[in-house]
């Protein structure tokens, strides 16, 4: 028997060129993220943080606290050891406001470099704003609006659009700094935030556009809101809330005792004290910029820094399609089959009279890349397992309605068009048009799987077309033996979704 443990076959991840790592030394947290490799959609192999609170007291004393420094350095010893164990080929270390501004920051950085055996890049406020914007560019499809990155020591705001990065500025409004400068007086904190943000008259350019919220404290705000609303998908990236609703929510958090909030357990205890200050800054930012909606981003400075390391070809790749392709490569029976399904399914869309938008087409391509990821599961659970993997997967460049479309399509591909077996929650994330397109594509993929056995080389020899108002599946003579009752039933099901009669013909 072959020892597969020594095989050169993929073992659940890509190995070249990588792994690479980033240590992010912020004013509140110190985090290590080890990524599989430098790629358009970087996947984390390992992620750990500690809340060292390096920024505490810097505003008053001008120095990093000895205890906070000791906590950070102990964590860095462990982080370096983890990097060595995993085989990291390149370690990037980024330091932000606290290390940049403290009198003893240089001494701290020297110790960090000694422990980590790597150079520390101290980011300026402009650098932080730039990489935050790059993070949003890398994680959203056609991002447009104002990016806000709230750390422990500072707030970076920068305008982004299809034309590039616009105005940007750093404000001394990080959660820890604001808490200390206001002496824990929320009313005073509100006045400080208002006064600082009034200095940026360009914020009004974000009116009626998106506000992209980055940073641990703001993600905690979003998570708390998500759980309070009973939102069906616990994925923070691209969780979207109308600006006026978020303003009301921030005012509630500024006013009420958070210990009485039923959902407060979803926020770590270490984060809770800063939530009212994060809410204060969020509220004032939204009032000043008049954005239409708040979009929470799981990607920020680290991912923006990695995105900036890519060559121009890498930057132009679609992150969703890239991630879907890679998951298919790791899980599908025959990864090359997905390209055939993309081409073949275009025929089905034409027959159905679907005029796909660019966004809908890219969703269809991604769904085709994911069509076979559940094949190793028990047949009774392939659909549900695929739905869970896709709806909660680490995809970017896709909103929650798009996630629902992908998940539903692959569910239908395995289970048939059985809406009764679906949770109403996942359907609620989509919209009627995407639901219809998911049913058409899911039924199409079911027909394709019977013709091809989900393997490359056969599918494109067949053809779907509209003949005299009827859906016709044409098989060449060499595929005549592919006919059967099951194929006919699946084609009839596809025809019903299209409101057409269907027929299999051998040419």
């Amino acid at each position: 028997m072959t020892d597969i443990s020594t095989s050169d076959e993929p073992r659940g991840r890509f190995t070249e060129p990588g792994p690479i790592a980033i240590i992010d030394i912020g004013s509140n947290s110190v985090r290590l993220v080890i990524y599989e490799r430098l790629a358009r959609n970087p996947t984390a192999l390992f992620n750990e943080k500690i809340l060292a609170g390096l920024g505490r007291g810097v505003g008053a004393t001008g120095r990093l606290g000895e205890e906070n420094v000791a906590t950070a350095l102990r964590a860095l010893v462990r982080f370096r050891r983890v990097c060595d164990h995993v085989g990291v080929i390149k370690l990037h270390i980024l330091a932000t406001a606290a290390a940049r501004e403290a009198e003893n920051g240089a001494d701290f950085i020297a110790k960090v470099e000694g422990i980590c055996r790597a150079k520390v890049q101290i980011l300026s406020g402009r650098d932080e704003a730039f990489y935050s914007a790059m993070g949003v560019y890398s994680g959203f499809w056609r991002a447009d609006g104002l990016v806000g990155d709230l750390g422990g020591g500072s707030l970076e705001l920068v305008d982004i659009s299809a034309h590039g990065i616009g105005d940007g500025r750093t404000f001394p409004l990080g959660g820890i700094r604001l808490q200390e400068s206001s002496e824990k007086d929320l009313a005073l904190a509100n006045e400080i935030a208002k006064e600082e943000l009034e200095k940026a008259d360009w914020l009004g350019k974000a009116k009626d556009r998106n506000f992209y919220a980055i940073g641990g404290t703001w993600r905690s705000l979003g998570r708390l809101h998500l759980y309070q609303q009973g939102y069906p998908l616990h994925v923070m990236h691209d969780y979207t809330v109308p600006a006026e609703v978020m303003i009301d929510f921030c005012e509630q958090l500024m006013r009420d005792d958070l210990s009485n909030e039923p959902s407060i357990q979803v926020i770590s205890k270490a984060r809770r004290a800063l939530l009212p200050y994060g809410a204060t800054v969020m509220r004032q930012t939204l009032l000043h910029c008049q954005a239409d909606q708040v979009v929470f981003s799981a990607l920020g400075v680290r991912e923006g820094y990695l995105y900036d390391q890519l060559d121009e070809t890498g930057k132009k790749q679609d992150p969703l399609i890239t991630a879907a392709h890679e998951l298919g490569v790791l899980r599908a029976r025959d990864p090359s089959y997905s390209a055939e399904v993309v081409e073949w399914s275009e025929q089905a869309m034409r027959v159905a009279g679907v005029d796909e938008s660019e966004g809908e087409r890219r969703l269809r391509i991604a769904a085709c890349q994911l069509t076979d990821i559940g094949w190793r599961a028990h047949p009774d659970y392939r659909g549900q397992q695929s739905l869970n993997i896709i709806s909660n997967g680490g995809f970017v460049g896709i909103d929650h309605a798009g996630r629902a479309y992908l998940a539903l399509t692959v569910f239908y591909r395995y289970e048939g068009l059985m809406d009764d077996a679906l949770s109403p929650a996942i359907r609620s994330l989509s919209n009627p048009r995407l639901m219809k397109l998911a049913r058409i594509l899911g039924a199409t993929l079911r027909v394709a799987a019977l013709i091809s056995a989900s393997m490359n080389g056969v599918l494109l020899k067949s053809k779907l077309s509209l003949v005299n108002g009827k859906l016709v599946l044409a098989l060449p003579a060499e595929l005549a033996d592919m006919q059967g009752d099951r194929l006919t039933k699946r084609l009839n099901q596809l025809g019903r979704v299209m409101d057409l009669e269907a027929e299999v013909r051998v040419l």
Side-chain angles (χ1 to χ4, degrees):
M1 180 180 294
T2 301
D3 182 2
I4 62 173
S5 67
T6 62
S7 170
D8 290 332
E9 292 295 317
R11 294 179 295 170
R13 68 181 177 95
F14 299 99
T15 57
E16 296 294 337
I20 62 172
I22 291 183
I23 292 176
D24 184 358
I25 302 173
S27 297
N28 193 25
S29 65
V30 178
R31 183 186 293 269
L32 165 67
V33 185
I34 301 176
Y35 297 92
E36 184 180 53
R37 70 200 204 285
L38 181 62
R40 181 61 183 84
N41 188 58
T43 302
L45 285 175
F46 183 83
N47 189 332
E48 183 179 340
K49 72 174 180 184
I50 55 101
L51 296 177
L54 285 171
R56 292 202 176 278
V58 172
T61 67
R63 298 180 61 82
L64 302 172
E66 291 184 7
E67 184 175 341
N68 307 95
V69 167
T71 299
L73 294 179
R74 282 195 302 272
L76 290 169
V77 170
R78 169 178 160 73
F79 289 174
R80 179 67 251 190
R81 183 66 182 86
V82 171
C83 287
D84 291 340
H85 169 63
V86 173
V88 167
I89 64 171
K90 179 66 176 179
L91 172 61
H92 304 273
I93 308 177
L94 310 179
T96 55
R100 181 174 68 230
E101 298 171 0
E103 292 177 7
N104 56 341
D107 292 338
F108 170 69
I109 293 299
K111 293 177 181 177
V112 171
E113 292 179 341
I115 291 170
C116 295
R117 307 191 305 278
K119 186 72 175 176
V120 175
Q121 183 173 344
I122 303 175
L123 303 183
S124 66
R126 182 180 294 274
D127 291 335
E128 287 190 67
F130 174 79
Y131 289 127
S132 295
M134 287 291 99
V136 170
Y137 266 128
S138 72
F140 291 87
W141 192 54
R142 296 180 175 174
D144 180 82
L146 183 68
V147 176
D149 188 350
L150 183 72
S154 62
L155 165 69
E156 279 70 46
L157 295 175
V158 58
D159 187 275
I160 63 168
S161 69
H163 303 295
I165 299 177
D167 294 318
R169 183 170 171 180
T170 296
F171 301 85
L173 296 175
I176 291 176
R177 177 174 291 185
L178 187 60
Q179 183 189 51
E180 293 181 346
S181 62
S182 66
E183 298 180 346
K184 298 185 178 181
D185 182 337
L186 276 177
L188 178 56
N190 185 61
E191 289 303 313
I192 293 172
K194 180 180 178 182
E195 181 179 341
E196 286 291 338
L197 291 171
E198 284 176 346
K199 298 175 183 178
D201 55 6
W202 50 268
L203 292 183
K205 294 179 181 178
K207 183 177 181 180
D208 299 328
R209 297 160 69 205
N210 289 336
F211 177 71
Y212 298 94
I214 300 172
T217 299
W218 275 353
R219 278 194 292 273
S220 295
L221 284 181
R223 182 171 298 279
L224 186 58
H225 184 271
L226 180 150
Y227 275 86
Q228 279 195 1
Q229 299 301 307
Y231 191 73
L233 187 63
H234 295 170
V235 173
M236 282 310 306
H237 189 72
D238 219 321
Y239 177 58
T240 302
V241 183
E244 63 270 18
V245 173
M246 185 52 60
I247 290 172
D248 290 343
F249 182 64
C250 289
E251 290 174 350
Q252 174 194 339
L253 296 184
M254 294 165 63
R255 180 181 63 247
D256 298 343
D257 182 357
L258 291 181
S259 62
N260 296 326
E261 289 293 328
S263 302
I264 195 63
Q265 297 303 318
V266 303
I267 308 303
S268 67
K269 292 182 179 180
R271 289 279 188 197
R272 294 175 194 175
L274 294 181
L275 278 180
Y277 299 93
T280 298
V281 179
M282 173 75 80
R283 175 180 175 273
Q284 282 295 339
T285 303
L286 294 176
L287 290 174
H288 280 79
C289 74
Q290 300 180 64
D292 176 60
Q293 57 187 6
V294 179
V295 183
F296 289 91
S297 174
L299 279 61
V301 168
R302 290 184 299 276
E303 293 75 20
Y305 181 84
L306 289 180
Y307 177 73
D308 195 49
Q309 305 299 305
L310 294 170
D311 59 26
E312 289 305 310
T313 300
K315 289 178 181 177
K316 291 177 181 178
Q317 292 177 343
D318 187 310
L320 171 63
I321 294 175
T322 299
H325 170 73
E326 290 179 351
L327 187 56
V329 168
L330 293 173
R331 288 177 174 259
R333 275 169 281 204
D334 182 355
S336 61
Y337 167 68
S338 63
E340 289 194 346
V341 181
V342 170
E343 184 177 343
W344 199 77
S345 63
E346 288 183 8
Q347 302 173 21
M349 293 300 161
R350 285 197 298 269
V351 172
V354 174
D355 183 15
E356 289 181 303
S357 68
E358 184 181 357
E360 290 166 350
R361 183 176 185 277
R362 67 189 288 269
L363 288 176
R364 176 170 59 81
I365 293 172
C368 290
Q369 301 281 4
L370 298 168
T371 182
D372 201 35
I373 65 169
W375 75 277
R376 281 191 178 275
H378 186 282
D380 291 345
Y381 299 101
R382 288 171 181 165
Q384 192 62 53
Q385 286 195 14
S386 297
L387 184 145
N388 290 335
I389 289 169
I390 295 169
S391 60
N392 296 288
F395 299 113
V396 297
I398 185 172
D399 60 16
H400 288 192
R403 282 178 178 269
Y405 165 86
L406 295 183
L408 289 170
T409 296
V410 181
F411 176 86
Y412 291 143
R413 173 260 184 270
Y414 284 115
E415 302 292 338
L417 306 185
M418 299 171 56
D419 283 337
D420 290 344
L422 279 171
S423 164
I426 191 69
R427 291 200 301 265
S428 71
L429 294 174
S430 193
N431 58 60
R433 178 171 172 84
L434 284 181
M435 284 287 293
K436 177 181 178 180
L437 295 182
R439 290 173 66 84
I440 293 173
L441 183 55
T444 300
L445 296 175
R446 287 176 65 75
V447 174
L450 279 188
I451 297 171
S452 64
S454 299
M455 303 290 282
N456 187 52
V458 168
L459 185 61
L460 293 181
K461 295 178 181 179
S462 67
K463 183 179 179 181
L464 287 173
S465 60
L466 185 65
V467 180
N468 297 325
K470 180 180 289 189
L471 169 64
V472 173
L473 170 60
L475 298 176
E478 65 181 286
L479 296 182
D481 293 342
M482 290 290 190
Q483 289 188 90
D485 290 343
R486 200 172 182 205
L487 178 59
T488 298
K489 287 179 180 179
R490 287 195 178 182
L491 184 67
N492 286 336
Q493 183 184 54
L494 175 57
R496 286 193 295 272
V497 174
M498 296 179 175
D499 295 322
L500 296 170
E501 293 185 10
E503 178 184 346
V504 179
R505 296 179 183 176
V506 177
L507 302 180

